[in-house]
Amino acid sequence: MKFVEKKCPNCGANIKFKVGERDVHCEKCRRDFAVEYDTDPELSDAAAEIRAESIRLASDMLSHANRNMKLFRIIFFTIFGICIVSFLVIFVMGMINAAQIRKEYNEQWQKANNNSYITP
Ligand SMILES: [Zn+2]
């Protein structure tokens, strides 16, 4: 938060207020004033500075969020890829194993039944 100090237009006392505030109050003469940001070069500069700072902050947050999103995507797709590959490996190994068992079973069956073939 940026503060500025201005002289009270009524009594000349210093009034300290936050840049961006529209209404200020003089403690000495107890009067209220509207802050003119457009006509006072110092105030309009300060207001512009605060606007620029908040834009910088917002874009910083956005790029930070983008980085996090990118990281999340990389981690997600890596885990997803590992799952797919694992599934495929287990599936193929199961198929090979099943084919092996069927082959052995057929061979035993052939031996036991005078080498006649069966259809699987
Ligand atoms: Zn005053």
Side-chain angles (χ1 to χ4, degrees):
M1 277 298 146
K2 193 179 166 73
F3 287 89
V4 283
E5 210 167 83
K6 285 277 160 194
K7 292 240 181 289
C8 172
N10 188 47
C11 68
N14 283 337
I15 309 174
K16 200 178 176 190
F17 59 95
K18 238 188 288 178
V19 174
E21 257 174 358
R22 290 279 157 196
D23 301 300
V24 294
H25 176 75
C26 176
E27 292 292 339
K28 203 179 171 196
C29 66
R30 301 191 177 282
R31 277 223 193 170
D32 293 314
F33 302 98
V35 185
E36 294 291 332
Y37 284 98
D38 300 331
T39 50
D40 189 316
E42 191 198 339
L43 284 183
S44 61
D45 281 359
E49 204 177 294
I50 286 199
R51 269 198 300 277
E53 199 174 317
S54 61
I55 288 168
R56 203 160 46 235
L57 205 70
S59 71
D60 271 5
M61 281 169 70
L62 200 68
S63 70
H64 198 73
N66 275 343
R67 257 202 310 279
N68 282 352
M69 197 62 209
K70 223 175 273 176
L71 194 69
F72 171 78
R73 224 175 273 151
I74 289 168
I75 291 168
F76 177 80
F77 282 110
T78 304
I79 292 170
F80 188 70
I82 288 169
C83 286
I84 294 269
V85 168
S86 305
F87 175 78
L88 284 176
V89 166
I90 290 166
F91 181 76
V92 168
M93 279 169 69
M95 293 294 277
I96 291 169
N97 202 27
Q100 188 68 34
I101 289 167
R102 191 158 56 223
K103 199 178 145 210
E104 281 168 16
Y105 177 79
N106 280 350
E107 280 167 6
Q108 282 171 14
W109 203 90
Q110 275 175 294
K111 274 186 202 146
N113 294 280
N114 305 320
N115 291 335
S116 65
Y117 282 92
I118 55 155
T119 45

